Amino acid sequence: MANIKPPTDTNTEMAWTVPGPKSTPIVGTTGNTFRFTQDPIGYSNQLFQDYGPMVSLCEQGGTNLFTPFEKCPGTVIVHGPDLIRQARTPHSQWNLTPLSMTLYPMEAVSNRKQPLKHFLVGLWGVNGDDHRLQRRLMMPAFHTRHIQSYWQDMVNITQSSLSHLRPGTTVNLVEETRLLAMRIVTKTLFGEDSGKAGQGVGHLLEQALAVLSQPLTTLMPYDIGGLPYRRFLNLIACFDREMRGIISAKRARQSKDNDVLSMLIQARDEETGISLSETELLGHVGSLFAAGHETTSLALGWTVLLLSQHPDIAADLMDELGAVLQGDPPRLDQLDQLPLLERVIKESLRLIPPAPFTWRYNNQIVDLGGYSLPVGTEVYCSIYATHHMPDLYENPNCFDPSRWERINPDMWEYMPFSAGSRLCMGAAFAMMELKIVLSIMLQTFRMEFVPSVSVDRYGIITIAPKNGLPMHLHYPDRNFTAGVGGVKGNIREMVQLPV
């Protein structure tokens, strides 16, 4: 269960002074919130242009995007390494809330809604000493040697996932990478390979997350037939039952399996002997799945799209892969012999970070950017806007992997996996997965983008292509100039692409 506390009455006499747009006529602050949720990157970038690097979602405050509190002072959006660092440190002043955001119940709930108390809590919903303890318990499962033990699973699943695809066909790359990433995360997290059967806890969790992402789920959180909120409760209840059974079985046989869940079950704090409770385990596996599944699949999709529109870079990368791997999947010792592949991934994560924002609320009155913020203020930090600052990155909208031979940004200037005390524990896992999957995928097919749909970003927590990414599959024929150009949509606001 989360350890988050609502703001106290100490805020009642504090003035809201952060500049921002007026509330929307007729619907008030709801209209401001709606505009942000429709296109967080586009709307926040416009606000930055109008008001500077620190802006209120509404000039009088009163908006609420992610905190589950009855009263929220307002929402501030910032970008730039200095403001983001101030909005994250010291750790003791800033809290997170569960990934279920406004749906997390602060009050006592019925048995029907009890799973909401731990669903998607994980490290997002614990703060202070609890966060430090639970992070310490989880660290062994993400040790480098343990992560490397998943190499063969990643190779096998990638090859299996690509085996049903055929040159001459057109696929939605986002869907293919989503299924592939789900298989990898369910195998490494739970110890099961979901395959293509549409069954298992991974599929249950994926369905629950899909329903959670629907705006109507949070706008109308009523347990009434026909509403997505009811289906959401049904799905997380089913996931809860399945996961409790898996945890119980692993405990009964004193499982020494290699998956992350087994490691977390075995974890004990050396100083206190404390272990993770069942509800804490449920919160962690759900949030780890959410964090490690969609972001990885989107990073794969965006990277392939960028390569499809930059033939010289694609050709150089294939030269490197061919010289080192010669058509085979990479061995662990070969991953460090692919420097251009690493630069391509880093540049893709800079241009289109799959998780474009990070957020916090302050648990005490703080000064940020020259403004005093009441307790409970939501602060959205734009990783995307920071990654596109010309002061940090020359020609920031240009896909230029070679820049990583010249620059070495600090943790607040480049943060695709967040930064500081909340740095993503799975960052090394994700980088290894991206390298393995891309090296196999690119040696198996040349993927040519089909400009039949507009490539428009959407999403609040992640950046996804709204209409998918149609790719025509070819044998690796090195015809990299085919399919270059013709990309439509607001992707062109984010990246310089050929006409």
Side-chain angles (χ1 to χ4, degrees):
M1 294 175 65
N3 66 338
I4 55 177
K5 296 180 180 179
T8 64
D9 291 337
T10 57
N11 291 333
T12 54
E13 297 182 0
M14 284 194 66
W16 184 265
T17 58
V18 184
K22 296 181 182 299
S23 60
T24 308
I26 303 176
V27 295
T29 58
T30 302
N32 299 56
T33 300
F34 180 78
R35 289 188 66 184
F36 180 84
T37 59
Q38 291 306 292
D39 183 10
I41 288 176
Y43 189 47
S44 61
N45 283 352
Q46 183 61 56
L47 292 178
F48 291 144
Q49 288 183 26
D50 295 342
Y51 298 95
M54 179 171 175
V55 58
S56 172
L57 194 56
C58 182
E59 68 171 357
Q60 71 262 35
T63 52
N64 185 356
L65 287 171
F66 72 89
T67 51
F69 309 135
E70 184 178 352
K71 295 180 180 179
C72 176
T75 308
V76 170
I77 312 170
V78 304
H79 80 283
D82 292 338
L83 283 170
I84 292 179
R85 177 180 49 79
Q86 292 175 44
R88 305 286 297 275
T89 55
H91 177 70
S92 58
Q93 291 182 351
W94 299 95
N95 285 3
L96 263 174
T97 61
L99 286 175
S100 54
M101 296 189 167
T102 57
L103 291 183
Y104 180 80
M106 295 296 296
E107 71 288 342
V109 294
S110 64
N111 289 336
R112 167 79 168 152
K113 296 184 179 181
Q114 194 61 39
L116 282 172
K117 281 290 189 180
H118 49 261
F119 184 69
L120 299 184
V121 171
L123 290 177
W124 278 267
V126 291
N127 299 285
D129 291 340
D130 286 345
H131 174 261
R132 282 185 285 272
L133 172 61
Q134 293 195 34
R135 190 177 177 93
R136 191 163 66 241
L137 287 169
M138 295 174 70
M139 284 299 291
F142 294 92
H143 189 279
T144 301
R145 284 196 303 272
H146 194 72
I147 290 172
Q148 290 175 344
S149 70
Y150 297 134
W151 160 76
Q152 192 64 61
D153 286 333
M154 291 181 181
V155 169
N156 292 343
I157 290 173
T158 301
Q159 292 178 320
S160 171
S161 296
L162 297 178
S163 64
H164 76 283
L165 303 179
R166 296 290 180 268
T169 61
T170 299
V171 300
N172 179 357
L173 183 62
V174 172
E175 180 66 13
E176 297 300 330
T177 58
R178 182 187 63 81
L179 292 171
L180 193 162
M182 185 179 67
R183 289 183 62 184
I184 289 176
V185 76
T186 52
K187 176 64 174 177
T188 55
L189 186 56
F190 308 127
E192 68 165 34
D193 183 356
S194 59
K196 308 167 194 172
Q199 299 176 353
V201 290
H203 283 277
L204 276 174
L205 189 48
E206 185 180 49
Q207 291 176 65
L209 293 171
V211 177
L212 177 61
S213 68
Q214 298 176 21
L216 196 59
T217 305
T218 52
L219 289 173
M220 299 186 69
Y222 308 116
D223 193 7
I224 300 173
L227 290 181
Y229 183 76
R230 168 166 283 193
R231 182 160 188 263
F232 174 65
L233 291 181
N234 290 340
L235 286 167
I236 65 173
C238 189
F239 172 74
D240 215 51
R241 289 193 301 270
E242 293 289 329
M243 280 308 308
R244 288 183 189 274
I246 291 173
I247 292 170
S248 177
K250 285 181 178 290
R251 280 181 165 159
R253 67 174 186 267
Q254 297 183 330
S255 171
K256 300 294 183 182
D257 294 338
N258 193 45
D259 58 90
V260 172
L261 176 58
S262 296
M263 293 281 290
L264 297 184
I265 291 172
Q266 300 163 29
R268 297 289 184 277
D269 182 60
E270 292 183 0
E271 298 177 7
T272 63
I274 292 175
S275 61
L276 294 168
S277 68
E278 186 172 75
T279 55
E280 288 169 342
L281 289 168
L282 289 167
H284 286 305
V285 294
S287 57
L288 286 172
F289 180 96
H293 163 232
E294 186 173 10
T295 53
T296 301
S297 67
L298 291 173
L300 289 167
W302 289 124
T303 302
V304 171
L305 175 67
L306 291 169
L307 288 170
S308 77
Q309 300 302 303
H310 294 83
D312 291 343
I313 298 171
D316 289 344
L317 179 57
M318 288 306 298
D319 287 344
E320 177 180 270
L321 294 176
V324 177
L325 305 181
Q326 300 180 0
D328 294 328
R331 302 188 309 268
L332 272 176
D333 62 292
Q334 292 176 315
L335 292 180
D336 290 336
Q337 300 173 34
L338 301 169
L340 179 55
L341 177 62
E342 177 158 333
R343 293 196 296 270
V344 163
I345 293 171
K346 290 176 72 172
E347 180 70 346
S348 174
L349 294 176
R350 182 194 67 81
L351 267 174
I352 314 177
F357 293 90
T358 181
W359 53 88
R360 298 290 185 273
Y361 75 91
N362 54 319
N363 56 34
Q364 53 189 279
I365 296 173
V366 299
D367 289 328
L368 179 64
Y371 299 94
S372 187
L373 302 184
V375 177
T377 297
E378 300 180 335
V379 180
Y380 262 73
C381 302
S382 179
I383 296 171
Y384 173 86
T386 303
H387 284 186
H388 285 250
M389 291 177 65
D391 291 347
L392 299 178
Y393 301 99
E394 184 180 359
N395 298 320
N397 286 13
C398 178
F399 178 61
D400 179 16
S402 70
R403 76 173 73 240
W404 293 96
E405 298 177 276
R406 307 183 298 272
I407 64 171
N408 185 28
D410 67 30
M411 73 169 74
W412 305 111
E413 296 170 339
Y414 179 71
M415 48 188 300
F417 300 105
S418 193
S421 59
R422 296 277 188 172
L423 176 69
C424 175
M425 296 182 68
F429 179 101
M431 284 298 293
M432 184 175 84
E433 181 180 358
L434 290 170
K435 289 179 181 179
I436 290 172
V437 174
L438 282 169
S439 63
I440 296 174
M441 186 182 294
L442 295 174
Q443 291 184 102
T444 306
F445 300 109
R446 178 178 65 81
M447 284 169 275
E448 179 181 330
F449 178 71
V450 181
S452 57
V453 300
S454 179
V455 183
D456 295 310
R457 60 180 178 261
Y458 87 104
I460 300 175
I461 297 177
T462 57
I463 308 179
K466 185 175 183 179
N467 304 304
L469 291 175
M471 292 282 176
H472 193 73
L473 304 181
H474 298 267
Y475 289 105
D477 56 14
R478 298 187 64 88
N479 187 16
F480 300 116
T481 58
V484 174
V487 179
K488 306 180 296 291
N490 62 24
I491 181 70
R492 289 188 167 274
E493 300 171 6
M494 307 163 69
V495 187
Q496 293 175 14
L497 295 174
V499 177

